[in-house]
Amino acid sequence: MRSTSRTEAVPASTPAASLVFTTVLSHGPLTRTEIARRTTLSSAAVTKAVRPLMEAGYLVEGVDEEARSSLGRPANPVRVDGGRALFIGVKVTGDEIIAVLTDLCCRIRVARHLPLTDREPGAVLAAIAGLVQELLTEADGFGVEVRGLGLAVSGDVDRTAGVVRYSPFLDWRDVPLADLAGTVTGLPVTVDNDVRALTVAEQWFGAGVGLSDFALVTVGAGIGCGLVVHGRVVSGAHGVAGEIGHLSIDPLGPPCHCGNTGCVEAIAGDSAIVRRVREVTGLPVADSGQALELAHQGDPGAKEAYARAGEAIGRAIGAVVNVLGPQRVIISGEGLAAYDLFAEQIRDAFAASAFGTAAQCDVMTRPLPFEEWARGAAATAIQSFIGTDTY
Amino acid sequence: MRSTSRTEAVPASTPAASLVFTTVLSHGPLTRTEIARRTTLSSAAVTKAVRPLMEAGYLVEGVDEEARSSLGRPANPVRVDGGRALFIGVKVTGDEIIAVLTDLCCRIRVARHLPLTDREPGAVLAAIAGLVQELLTEADGFGVEVRGLGLAVSGDVDRTAGVVRYSPFLDWRDVPLADLAGTVTGLPVTVDNDVRALTVAEQWFGAGVGLSDFALVTVGAGIGCGLVVHGRVVSGAHGVAGEIGHLSIDPLGPPCHCGNTGCVEAIAGDSAIVRRVREVTGLPVADSGQALELAHQGDPGAKEAYARAGEAIGRAIGAVVNVLGPQRVIISGEGLAAYDLFAEQIRDAFAASAFGTAAQCDVMTRPLPFEEWARGAAATAIQSFIGTDTY
C-alpha cells in the first residue's frame, strides 16, 4: 500500500524508519540495542532511523529511572511522544458512525457516536464532517495539530486510490471517499477496509503484538478477516484479501449477495441468521437482537440457526489456518454477543477442518467495541503519516 | 524458518545479504544501484552486503560490455558465480525419486531418476543415498564441492527440525529425514515440503520472479499450494500452510484421508478421480492413466469425474484468491495432463467464487516436470547455505 495523494510528506520515509517507529510504538520505551534486536536491523541502521524521528520530535528519549538502575548504566530508552500529534479515526457501520480523537501513540482522547439514518454517500459524508469538526474543536484544547483522518468502511476498499469500490452494507459502489472527505475536512485522509484497520490496531496494541502471523476474524453483520503475514497486514494485489465471508462451503447452501452460493456470510452473517430463524420458527423476527433473544430463551429453531452459523465460522477459520498456518486466530466483532450459542460448533468445526499440526493454532475470542475499530482507522492515518504503509 | 543443525556456517548471515544474494540470483547481473532499487535497501547497505559475498566468491563483478557501452561508463554489474559451489536436490514421489545436481545459480547440471518400489523410510533413504553418491561422483568432474542436499517430500514437513511429520503418499509419520540423510551422505541437509520447495524455484527463476504475492497450485496425486506473501514463502507457524487440498467445500462430499469430509483432494486428487470413474462407469479402472485415457476417449462418466475435479480445484483457487488476493496463481503438477478435461470448470468455478476485484488475479498454467521440483529442493539447500531461509 502507498500513501494516498492526500497524505502529507511523511517524516519517516524509509522502511527501516517505519519499522523502528512501529516497534517503539508497540513495545516502547526501548533502548536502541533492544530496537535492533526486535527489528533485526543493524545498530547503525537503528541509529540512522531514529535520528530524523527524534529531530522531528516523534520519538523522544524517555528518562526511565527503573531501566537505568536495573541495567546499572544509562539506558537511554526511546519512546513515541504521543502528545506530538493528533489523529482522527472514524468507523462507519450501517447504523452508526463512531469517531475517536487519538494521540500519536493511538491512545483515544475523545470518542463520539452518531446514529446513521441515511446511508447515501453524501449524507454519510456530512455526518463524518460534523463529527470531525467536533473533534477538531476538542483538539484545540490540546494545543496540538490533527495530522490525519482515517476512515474505515466495510467492503472492498482501495486504500491506494482512496476509493470504496463496493460496500454491501452501505450499498456503495465506487465512492471516492478520500477525495470527498479531504475536501470537506481539509485533512489528509486514509480510507481502508474496516477489518484491515482493526487488524492494524490489534497488531500494534492488541492480541497481535509480537506475532508475525495472525488472523483477526470478525463476526457480525458480515464475516470478515484481517491477516498479518510475515509481520505485515495483507491487503491483496487488487485490494481484496481476508474475504472468508465469501468462501463457499456448501454447494447446496443459501444464495449470497455476492452472487455465489453457500458462502460463509450467507450462513453466518447477522441477516442470514435472522432469515434462518424466521424460516425455522415461523416467527416474525425483525432483527438480530430479537433472533438472539429467542435463542437465549431456548427456542430450538433459533438455537439451530446459531449452531449452523457457528459451524460455518469454524470451517472458515479452519480454511484460514490450513492456508496460512497463523500463530493465532482472534475472533471478535459484535457477533460475539451470541458466542455462547455457537462456541462449541466453532470449536468442533475448526478441529474437524484443521489439517495436521495446523490444529495447534491458538484460537481465542476478544471483544472489541466499535471505538476500537475507530482507533484502527486512526492507526491507518498514523501509518500514512509516518510512512509505515509503504513498508 | 531456520537452518537445520546440519547446515554449515552460512556466508551471508544478515537479512540484507540474503536479500541481495537472491535478488542478484533472480535478476542478475545487476549494478549496485539496481540492487538498491529492487531491494529498497540503501546504497550503503547494498555495498556492505555485497562485500563479504564477493570476498567469499559467491558474487563476482561481471564484465558486461553491453551494459558498459549502453550506460556510457563502467557499470560494474554483479552476478552470482554459479560455478563456485554445487548442490543436490531430490524430490521423492510415491513412485520415483528424482535427483539433480545444480550449481550455485541452481542451474541443473545432471539429472537422475530412480523408480521407487518400497516406500519404507529405510528403503527410500538407501535409494536417496545411492543417487546422491552417483551425483557426488559426477560433481568430482566439475572440481567443485557439493555444499548441500535438499530433500523435498509431500505432506507436513518441519523444515526447522528436519522432520517429515506426516506424508500420506509415503505413509510416513515423524521421520527425522534430515538427520538420517545427513548421516548417510555426510552433507548438510535441508528437508522441506515439496510444493514449498517448488515455490522457491518459481520465485527465483519461474513465473513468480518479480512478484511479491503469488500462489502455486499443484494438481496430481495431491492438491497442494505454495504461497509467497510479501515476497516470502509462507511456511506456517506450525509448519502447515497452503493446504488447499484440505479445504472442505461440500459437507456431503466424499470422506478424505485426513478425517474430514468433502475436502478438495477427496474430489480432485488422482485417486479420488480414479475412484469416481470406477463408481460412475462400473469399469475396473486401475490408475489415473487409465482414467485419463477413458475420459480422453469420450466416456461421459469419466469426463464427469474430471469436470467435478475441475470445479473443486476452481473453488480452491477462488478461496486462495479471496483470502490472500495474490497477483498470480500458477497451476502446475502432473495433473495438468488432464487439463483439457477440466480447464473450463476450473475457470467457471474460480469466476463464481472470486469476490469483487479478486477476480482480476492472473490465473495461468505452467507445466513443471519433476526435475523442476528437484531443482526446488536444490534451491532450499542453496537457501540454507546462503542463509536466506532466515530472512
Side-chain angles (χ1 to χ4, degrees), chain A residues 242-279:
Chain A
E243 287 294 351
I244 62 165
H246 300 284
L247 296 179
S248 169
I249 56 170
D250 185 355
L252 302 176
C256 182
H257 61 81
C258 76
N260 204 358
T261 299
C263 289
V264 171
E265 194 162 293
I267 300 167
D270 278 349
S271 61
I273 294 175
V274 170
R275 201 179 313 117
R276 178 79 181 170
V277 172
R278 272 195 219 119
E279 277 171 24

Short mmCIF file of all heavy atoms in Angstrom, two decimals, chain A residues 242-279:
data_model
loop_
_atom_site.label_atom_id
_atom_site.label_comp_id
_atom_site.label_asym_id
_atom_site.label_seq_id
_atom_site.Cartn_x
_atom_site.Cartn_y
_atom_site.Cartn_z
N GLY A 242 -8.63 -11.51 2.77
CA GLY A 242 -9.34 -11.85 4.01
C GLY A 242 -10.83 -12.05 3.84
O GLY A 242 -11.57 -12.04 4.81
N GLU A 243 -11.28 -12.25 2.62
CA GLU A 243 -12.73 -12.38 2.40
C GLU A 243 -13.23 -13.79 2.72
O GLU A 243 -13.80 -14.48 1.87
CB GLU A 243 -13.09 -11.98 0.96
CG GLU A 243 -13.00 -10.49 0.70
CD GLU A 243 -14.05 -9.68 1.47
OE1 GLU A 243 -14.95 -10.29 2.07
OE2 GLU A 243 -13.94 -8.43 1.48
N ILE A 244 -13.07 -14.18 3.98
CA ILE A 244 -13.52 -15.53 4.35
C ILE A 244 -15.04 -15.62 4.38
O ILE A 244 -15.58 -16.71 4.34
CB ILE A 244 -12.94 -15.99 5.71
CG1 ILE A 244 -13.43 -15.07 6.84
CG2 ILE A 244 -11.43 -16.04 5.67
CD1 ILE A 244 -13.18 -15.67 8.20
N GLY A 245 -15.70 -14.47 4.44
CA GLY A 245 -17.16 -14.48 4.37
C GLY A 245 -17.66 -15.01 3.03
O GLY A 245 -18.78 -15.48 2.90
N HIS A 246 -16.77 -14.96 2.03
CA HIS A 246 -17.16 -15.42 0.70
C HIS A 246 -16.42 -16.69 0.28
O HIS A 246 -16.21 -16.93 -0.90
CB HIS A 246 -17.06 -14.28 -0.31
CG HIS A 246 -17.96 -13.15 0.10
ND1 HIS A 246 -19.32 -13.21 -0.08
CD2 HIS A 246 -17.71 -12.01 0.79
CE1 HIS A 246 -19.88 -12.12 0.46
NE2 HIS A 246 -18.92 -11.37 0.98
N LEU A 247 -16.05 -17.49 1.28
CA LEU A 247 -15.64 -18.86 0.98
C LEU A 247 -16.93 -19.66 0.87
O LEU A 247 -17.77 -19.63 1.77
CB LEU A 247 -14.79 -19.43 2.13
CG LEU A 247 -13.45 -18.74 2.39
CD1 LEU A 247 -12.75 -19.41 3.58
CD2 LEU A 247 -12.57 -18.79 1.16
N SER A 248 -17.04 -20.36 -0.24
CA SER A 248 -18.24 -21.18 -0.41
C SER A 248 -17.98 -22.55 0.20
O SER A 248 -17.06 -23.26 -0.20
CB SER A 248 -18.55 -21.31 -1.90
OG SER A 248 -19.54 -22.30 -2.08
N ILE A 249 -18.79 -22.91 1.20
CA ILE A 249 -18.53 -24.17 1.91
C ILE A 249 -19.63 -25.20 1.70
O ILE A 249 -19.58 -26.29 2.26
CB ILE A 249 -18.33 -23.93 3.43
CG1 ILE A 249 -19.55 -23.20 3.99
CG2 ILE A 249 -17.05 -23.14 3.68
CD1 ILE A 249 -19.54 -23.14 5.51
N ASP A 250 -20.63 -24.84 0.90
CA ASP A 250 -21.73 -25.78 0.70
C ASP A 250 -22.44 -25.47 -0.63
O ASP A 250 -23.14 -24.47 -0.75
CB ASP A 250 -22.73 -25.66 1.87
CG ASP A 250 -23.84 -26.70 1.77
OD1 ASP A 250 -23.90 -27.43 0.76
OD2 ASP A 250 -24.65 -26.77 2.71
N PRO A 251 -22.27 -26.36 -1.63
CA PRO A 251 -22.87 -26.10 -2.94
C PRO A 251 -24.39 -26.02 -2.86
O PRO A 251 -25.02 -25.45 -3.75
CB PRO A 251 -22.43 -27.29 -3.80
CG PRO A 251 -21.59 -28.16 -2.95
CD PRO A 251 -21.51 -27.61 -1.57
N LEU A 252 -24.98 -26.60 -1.80
CA LEU A 252 -26.43 -26.55 -1.65
C LEU A 252 -26.86 -25.49 -0.65
O LEU A 252 -28.01 -25.42 -0.24
CB LEU A 252 -26.96 -27.93 -1.20
CG LEU A 252 -26.63 -29.11 -2.13
CD1 LEU A 252 -27.11 -30.43 -1.52
CD2 LEU A 252 -27.27 -28.89 -3.50
N GLY A 253 -25.91 -24.65 -0.23
CA GLY A 253 -26.21 -23.62 0.77
C GLY A 253 -26.99 -22.46 0.19
O GLY A 253 -27.29 -22.42 -1.01
N PRO A 254 -27.36 -21.51 1.04
CA PRO A 254 -28.18 -20.38 0.59
C PRO A 254 -27.42 -19.45 -0.37
O PRO A 254 -26.19 -19.39 -0.35
CB PRO A 254 -28.51 -19.64 1.89
CG PRO A 254 -27.54 -20.12 2.90
CD PRO A 254 -27.06 -21.46 2.46
N PRO A 255 -28.16 -18.75 -1.23
CA PRO A 255 -27.51 -17.79 -2.14
C PRO A 255 -26.92 -16.62 -1.34
O PRO A 255 -27.46 -16.25 -0.29
CB PRO A 255 -28.65 -17.31 -3.03
CG PRO A 255 -29.90 -17.57 -2.26
CD PRO A 255 -29.62 -18.76 -1.39
N CYS A 256 -25.85 -16.05 -1.85
CA CYS A 256 -25.18 -14.94 -1.17
C CYS A 256 -25.33 -13.68 -2.01
O CYS A 256 -25.44 -13.75 -3.23
CB CYS A 256 -23.70 -15.28 -0.98
SG CYS A 256 -22.77 -14.01 -0.09
N HIS A 257 -25.28 -12.51 -1.35
CA HIS A 257 -25.42 -11.25 -2.09
C HIS A 257 -24.29 -11.06 -3.10
O HIS A 257 -24.40 -10.25 -4.03
CB HIS A 257 -25.48 -10.05 -1.12
CG HIS A 257 -24.26 -9.90 -0.26
ND1 HIS A 257 -23.11 -9.31 -0.71
CD2 HIS A 257 -24.01 -10.28 1.01
CE1 HIS A 257 -22.20 -9.33 0.25
NE2 HIS A 257 -22.72 -9.91 1.31
N CYS A 258 -23.19 -11.80 -2.94
CA CYS A 258 -22.06 -11.66 -3.87
C CYS A 258 -22.33 -12.40 -5.18
O CYS A 258 -21.55 -12.29 -6.13
CB CYS A 258 -20.77 -12.18 -3.24
SG CYS A 258 -20.63 -13.97 -3.18
N GLY A 259 -23.41 -13.19 -5.23
CA GLY A 259 -23.74 -13.92 -6.45
C GLY A 259 -23.41 -15.40 -6.37
O GLY A 259 -23.88 -16.19 -7.18
N ASN A 260 -22.59 -15.77 -5.39
CA ASN A 260 -22.21 -17.18 -5.22
C ASN A 260 -23.22 -17.88 -4.29
O ASN A 260 -24.17 -17.26 -3.81
CB ASN A 260 -20.78 -17.25 -4.67
CG ASN A 260 -20.11 -18.57 -5.00
OD1 ASN A 260 -20.68 -19.47 -5.61
ND2 ASN A 260 -18.86 -18.69 -4.61
N THR A 261 -22.99 -19.16 -4.05
CA THR A 261 -23.89 -19.98 -3.24
C THR A 261 -23.13 -20.59 -2.07
O THR A 261 -21.99 -21.00 -2.24
CB THR A 261 -24.46 -21.11 -4.12
OG1 THR A 261 -25.19 -20.52 -5.19
CG2 THR A 261 -25.38 -22.02 -3.34
N GLY A 262 -23.77 -20.65 -0.91
CA GLY A 262 -23.17 -21.35 0.23
C GLY A 262 -22.00 -20.63 0.85
O GLY A 262 -21.15 -21.26 1.50
N CYS A 263 -21.91 -19.31 0.66
CA CYS A 263 -20.83 -18.55 1.30
C CYS A 263 -21.02 -18.56 2.81
O CYS A 263 -22.14 -18.64 3.32
CB CYS A 263 -20.85 -17.09 0.82
SG CYS A 263 -20.33 -16.89 -0.89
N VAL A 264 -19.91 -18.46 3.54
CA VAL A 264 -19.93 -18.43 4.99
C VAL A 264 -20.84 -17.29 5.48
O VAL A 264 -21.65 -17.47 6.39
CB VAL A 264 -18.49 -18.25 5.55
CG1 VAL A 264 -18.53 -17.99 7.05
CG2 VAL A 264 -17.65 -19.48 5.22
N GLU A 265 -20.75 -16.13 4.84
CA GLU A 265 -21.56 -14.99 5.25
C GLU A 265 -23.06 -15.22 5.00
O GLU A 265 -23.89 -14.70 5.74
CB GLU A 265 -21.11 -13.74 4.48
CG GLU A 265 -21.62 -12.44 5.04
CD GLU A 265 -20.79 -11.26 4.53
OE1 GLU A 265 -19.61 -11.16 4.89
OE2 GLU A 265 -21.33 -10.45 3.75
N ALA A 266 -23.36 -16.02 3.97
CA ALA A 266 -24.77 -16.31 3.66
C ALA A 266 -25.36 -17.29 4.67
O ALA A 266 -26.57 -17.56 4.66
CB ALA A 266 -24.88 -16.87 2.25
N ILE A 267 -24.51 -17.85 5.54
CA ILE A 267 -24.97 -18.77 6.58
C ILE A 267 -24.81 -18.13 7.96
O ILE A 267 -25.65 -18.28 8.83
CB ILE A 267 -24.17 -20.10 6.52
CG1 ILE A 267 -24.36 -20.78 5.15
CG2 ILE A 267 -24.58 -21.03 7.65
CD1 ILE A 267 -23.38 -21.93 4.88
N ALA A 268 -23.72 -17.38 8.14
CA ALA A 268 -23.35 -16.93 9.48
C ALA A 268 -23.40 -15.43 9.69
O ALA A 268 -23.20 -14.96 10.81
CB ALA A 268 -21.95 -17.46 9.82
N GLY A 269 -23.68 -14.65 8.65
CA GLY A 269 -23.85 -13.21 8.83
C GLY A 269 -25.16 -12.93 9.57
O GLY A 269 -26.08 -13.75 9.54
N ASP A 270 -25.25 -11.78 10.23
CA ASP A 270 -26.45 -11.45 11.01
C ASP A 270 -27.75 -11.66 10.26
O ASP A 270 -28.68 -12.32 10.75
CB ASP A 270 -26.39 -9.97 11.46
CG ASP A 270 -25.54 -9.79 12.70
OD1 ASP A 270 -25.18 -10.81 13.33
OD2 ASP A 270 -25.23 -8.63 13.03
N SER A 271 -27.84 -11.12 9.04
CA SER A 271 -29.12 -11.17 8.35
C SER A 271 -29.43 -12.60 7.90
O SER A 271 -30.59 -12.99 7.84
CB SER A 271 -29.14 -10.20 7.16
OG SER A 271 -28.13 -10.56 6.24
N ALA A 272 -28.38 -13.38 7.63
CA ALA A 272 -28.59 -14.79 7.28
C ALA A 272 -29.16 -15.55 8.47
O ALA A 272 -30.06 -16.38 8.33
CB ALA A 272 -27.28 -15.43 6.83
N ILE A 273 -28.65 -15.24 9.67
CA ILE A 273 -29.17 -15.91 10.88
C ILE A 273 -30.63 -15.51 11.12
O ILE A 273 -31.49 -16.36 11.37
CB ILE A 273 -28.29 -15.56 12.11
CG1 ILE A 273 -26.88 -16.15 11.94
CG2 ILE A 273 -28.93 -16.08 13.39
CD1 ILE A 273 -25.90 -15.77 13.03
N VAL A 274 -30.91 -14.21 10.98
CA VAL A 274 -32.29 -13.74 11.19
C VAL A 274 -33.24 -14.44 10.20
O VAL A 274 -34.31 -14.93 10.59
CB VAL A 274 -32.37 -12.21 11.01
CG1 VAL A 274 -33.83 -11.74 10.98
CG2 VAL A 274 -31.61 -11.50 12.13
N ARG A 275 -32.81 -14.51 8.94
CA ARG A 275 -33.63 -15.16 7.91
C ARG A 275 -33.89 -16.63 8.28
O ARG A 275 -35.02 -17.11 8.21
CB ARG A 275 -32.93 -15.06 6.56
CG ARG A 275 -33.86 -15.22 5.36
CD ARG A 275 -33.12 -15.08 4.03
NE ARG A 275 -32.25 -13.91 3.99
CZ ARG A 275 -30.92 -13.94 3.87
NH1 ARG A 275 -30.28 -15.09 3.74
NH2 ARG A 275 -30.22 -12.82 3.85
N ARG A 276 -32.83 -17.29 8.71
CA ARG A 276 -32.95 -18.70 9.07
C ARG A 276 -33.87 -18.88 10.28
O ARG A 276 -34.70 -19.81 10.29
CB ARG A 276 -31.55 -19.25 9.38
CG ARG A 276 -31.49 -20.70 9.81
CD ARG A 276 -31.60 -21.64 8.63
NE ARG A 276 -31.57 -23.03 9.06
CZ ARG A 276 -31.83 -24.06 8.26
NH1 ARG A 276 -32.12 -23.84 6.99
NH2 ARG A 276 -31.78 -25.29 8.70
N VAL A 277 -33.76 -18.01 11.27
CA VAL A 277 -34.62 -18.11 12.46
C VAL A 277 -36.08 -17.94 12.05
O VAL A 277 -36.96 -18.69 12.49
CB VAL A 277 -34.21 -17.07 13.54
CG1 VAL A 277 -35.23 -17.05 14.68
CG2 VAL A 277 -32.82 -17.39 14.08
N ARG A 278 -36.32 -16.98 11.16
CA ARG A 278 -37.69 -16.77 10.66
C ARG A 278 -38.21 -18.03 9.97
O ARG A 278 -39.31 -18.50 10.23
CB ARG A 278 -37.70 -15.64 9.63
CG ARG A 278 -37.90 -14.28 10.25
CD ARG A 278 -38.27 -13.27 9.13
NE ARG A 278 -37.61 -12.00 9.38
CZ ARG A 278 -36.73 -11.42 8.58
NH1 ARG A 278 -36.38 -12.00 7.44
NH2 ARG A 278 -36.18 -10.28 8.91
N GLU A 279 -37.39 -18.59 9.08
CA GLU A 279 -37.78 -19.80 8.34
C GLU A 279 -38.11 -20.96 9.27
O GLU A 279 -39.12 -21.63 9.11
CB GLU A 279 -36.63 -20.26 7.44
CG GLU A 279 -36.52 -19.56 6.10
CD GLU A 279 -35.21 -19.93 5.39
OE1 GLU A 279 -34.65 -21.02 5.69
OE2 GLU A 279 -34.76 -19.12 4.58
#
